Amino acid sequence: MTKQSTPVEPHATANAEEPAPAPVRRGPGRPRHADTEERAYRAVLELFGHRGWAGLSLDGVATHAGIGKSSIYLRWKDKRDLLLDALRDLERRYVTPEETEGMTLRDYLVAHATARANLYLGEHGPAISHLYSAALANPDEFQEIRQERISKGVLSLEDRVQRAVNDGELPPDTPTREFLDAIEGAILVHVLVSSPDTIEDMRAKIDDYVATLVDIQLRGVGAAV
């Protein structure tokens, strides 16, 4: 007599599949990548620098940064907020020369103007340059950026120049704002009117250029150089 085998129930098989674990739900705004914000900041500054305000979008930033669109939209409601945060981050990393004991006004101005020039000539120089024209053309969108004075430049030296006037380092009738405008404007124009193939040469000679520029402005207001 042939012995019949006992059928094996499906649930008793050794290779039965385990139920798939439930997906982990992420909280609102939680980054998919640890460096999401850093990548978004870099992307928005690069795109703003190359395309300007009109060519900037959150979708474009997500694509350029290689991150999910949801990661962008969970953090920033529009491109203005993202650009503002990126500029704040850039400001935190911008190194402002400190005044040391015994430093002359000339040396202080040269240090700040050189740092400013290197910012224009640096990685995010195009974005900083576009900032001025965009703020002029879009006053409402850029009002907060104007108020916070995101781009620290030579114009932030007004107090130091005024102190120099009060201490007699500069003549009493020195027009502080105009004096600094001349330095800031000259640096900006110097960078903007130069062709891309001269940037490396400009970087190599920027220290001499800035020193000469500051000396010209100091002589122009009647200060001893």
Side-chain angles (χ1 to χ4, degrees):
M1 183 175 181
T2 305
K3 184 178 180 181
Q4 296 183 350
S5 59
T6 304
V8 179
E9 295 296 331
H11 69 269
T13 56
N15 61 348
E17 293 185 358
E18 294 292 334
V24 177
R25 300 182 61 86
R26 298 181 182 275
R30 181 175 177 178
R32 296 177 62 185
H33 303 283
D35 59 346
T36 293
E37 290 185 355
E38 178 183 346
R39 292 162 69 179
Y41 292 159
R42 177 180 292 276
V44 73
L45 290 174
E46 288 178 354
L47 291 178
F48 180 58
H50 288 91
R51 301 180 183 177
W53 182 244
L56 188 64
S57 69
L58 289 183
D59 284 0
V61 170
T63 299
H64 192 71
I67 55 181
K69 294 180 181 179
S70 61
S71 296
I72 296 290
Y73 284 96
L74 282 170
R75 286 169 175 73
W76 299 283
K77 63 179 181 180
D78 54 36
K79 63 181 182 179
R80 188 201 67 90
D81 280 358
L82 173 53
L83 180 60
L84 181 60
D85 280 353
L87 290 169
R88 285 169 175 157
D89 179 69
L90 182 61
E91 180 185 11
R92 283 192 293 269
R93 293 184 286 108
Y94 176 72
V95 178
T96 303
E98 295 184 0
E99 183 177 13
T100 59
E101 185 176 356
M103 178 181 280
T104 66
L105 174 65
R106 176 192 180 277
D107 291 342
Y108 190 56
L109 290 173
V110 167
H112 274 265
T114 301
R116 187 64 172 171
N118 285 326
L119 179 63
Y120 285 132
L121 292 169
E123 177 183 9
H124 299 304
I128 301 301
S129 300
H130 269 299
L131 189 58
Y132 301 116
S133 58
L136 184 63
N138 307 275
D140 293 336
E141 291 90 339
F142 281 79
Q143 181 179 6
E144 189 174 355
I145 294 176
R146 282 178 176 272
Q147 290 174 345
E148 292 190 13
R149 300 173 69 181
I150 292 298
S151 296
K152 290 183 176 180
V154 178
L155 293 180
S156 64
L157 300 176
E158 287 184 38
D159 291 342
R160 177 63 182 89
V161 173
Q162 188 57 52
R163 176 154 54 90
V165 172
N166 297 338
D167 294 343
E169 287 183 271
L170 293 176
D173 58 348
T174 299
T176 302
R177 173 58 67 87
E178 290 79 0
F179 173 74
L180 292 171
D181 278 349
I183 298 175
E184 170 76 3
I187 293 172
L188 179 59
V189 170
H190 181 61
V191 174
L192 290 182
V193 302
S194 301
S195 59
D197 58 351
T198 64
I199 293 296
E200 289 304 322
D201 183 61
M202 192 185 307
R203 288 193 182 106
K205 298 178 180 178
I206 197 63
D207 290 349
D208 291 338
Y209 173 82
V210 170
T212 300
L213 172 65
V214 170
D215 287 344
I216 290 173
Q217 298 308 320
L218 287 171
R219 292 192 186 100
V221 296
V225 177

